[in-house]
Amino acid sequence: MWLRFVQGIGVGGEVPVAAAYINELSVAQGRGRFFMLYEMIFPLGLMISAQIGALVVPSFGWKWMFLIGGIGGLIVFLFFFKLRESPCWLISKGRFDEAERVIEEIESSTDKRIEAKISAPQAVVKGNWKELFSPFYRSRTLIVWTLWFSSYFVANGLNNWLPSLYKTVYNLPLEDSLHAASLTNVIQTVAVFACALLIDRVGRKRWATIAFLVVGLLLTTLWFNGAKSAESVMYLGSAAYGVMGTITVLLYLYTPEIYPTRMRVLGIAFATAWLRLASAIAPTILGFVLGAKGITSVFVLFACVAAVGAFMAFKMIETREKVLEDIAP
């Protein structure tokens, strides 16, 4: 438990920094597609690990999954030494010469000219978490916090509970339960890829709103039909998870966009804390609801949370094709 806690600190700190970093290296035109294709690594990783788990755990036990994950983590660590610092961050610290050198290095590897606002020296402003609640950013902060909580309550609730439901409620063998659960990750990968290709056409606000509504409809359908079979839960539940997966990935694109460089990592770090909270309390709440009210009540609870998410998504600002400095001064 303690080792997993330390691991969570490392991964929990890595994710918001990576999201801010990739956003700052992306140009306005096509930023959504570029970032979402990068984010494909999340559903791909989930899909691959689920498939590996379905093969490894029944034969060798669950401890081997930690070894496989640990080796992967050590390999990724070596790549950090090849990264360049974000020009946006360097500019925010007044280190203009270093920012210029990084931009020139990036430009030398492409035939496109990079638009960067470094020609005029600007005042160096230090970010402060209190600014998240300033009049300009307060509504943005409250909206994204609700979006993070609601989307991950549903996504991680489904992802964590479906394997157990297959085994305990529908009495599927362990291997069949793992394979059935892995279907959710396959659908999510396809859905996120489609989102990456379409997000710059559809827009962040419209995609998130429609996706929440679709998830709510799928889960409400499970409630109406009583989730009578493992097959209905497998297909409708997996589809709901796949669509919700596009929102969980989209939030890593949207949240860094709505904050300036001085507080971009702060903004996404505080926002992702709500996904951790949702991930922590969802299994407990769902276990209580399942025992007290039955499986159909679990899905109606998910549908209600998705409805809240749809309402808040409608209040998002649209950031498609806009320069970061124009979105968040």
Side-chain angles (χ1 to χ4, degrees), residues 87-255:
C88 290
W89 183 83
L90 291 171
I91 293 168
S92 72
K93 300 300 180 183
R95 294 158 62 174
F96 302 109
D97 292 339
E98 294 178 64
E100 183 67 39
R101 286 196 295 271
V102 174
I103 291 173
E104 289 175 352
E105 184 178 342
I106 296 173
E107 282 185 329
S108 66
S109 64
T110 180
D111 57 357
K112 293 184 179 181
R113 180 70 182 173
I114 298 173
E115 297 291 336
K117 296 184 177 182
I118 65 172
S119 55
Q122 48 190 283
V124 178
V125 180
K126 185 177 181 180
N128 189 316
W129 67 269
K130 295 179 181 179
E131 194 176 356
L132 295 172
F133 305 100
S134 64
F136 188 85
Y137 292 106
R138 185 186 302 123
S139 62
R140 298 185 182 189
T141 296
L142 296 178
I143 288 170
V144 294
W145 283 10
T146 306
L147 292 174
W148 280 94
F149 182 90
S150 56
S151 62
Y152 274 90
F153 185 95
V154 176
N156 283 352
L158 286 172
N159 194 43
N160 292 337
W161 266 101
L162 283 181
S164 298
L165 293 177
Y166 294 141
K167 191 173 189 307
T168 58
V169 177
Y170 299 104
N171 299 316
L172 294 182
L174 174 60
E175 189 171 354
D176 291 342
S177 298
L178 291 172
H179 281 299
S182 69
L183 176 64
T184 62
N185 302 117
V186 175
I187 293 177
Q188 184 192 34
T189 302
V190 175
V192 172
F193 183 70
C195 180
L197 298 180
L198 297 173
I199 191 62
D200 285 324
R201 295 182 181 180
V202 177
R204 284 67 157 151
K205 177 179 178 178
R206 186 182 301 171
W207 184 284
T209 304
I210 294 174
F212 267 118
L213 292 174
V214 170
V215 169
L217 179 62
L218 291 169
L219 294 172
T220 301
T221 302
L222 272 175
W223 173 53
F224 273 120
N225 72 15
K228 295 179 180 178
S229 66
E231 288 75 18
S232 64
V233 174
M234 185 187 308
Y235 295 120
L236 293 174
S238 296
Y241 176 80
V243 176
M244 185 61 77
T246 66
I247 302 175
T248 60
V249 174
L250 174 62
L251 288 174
Y252 280 106
L253 164 66
Y254 177 75
T255 306

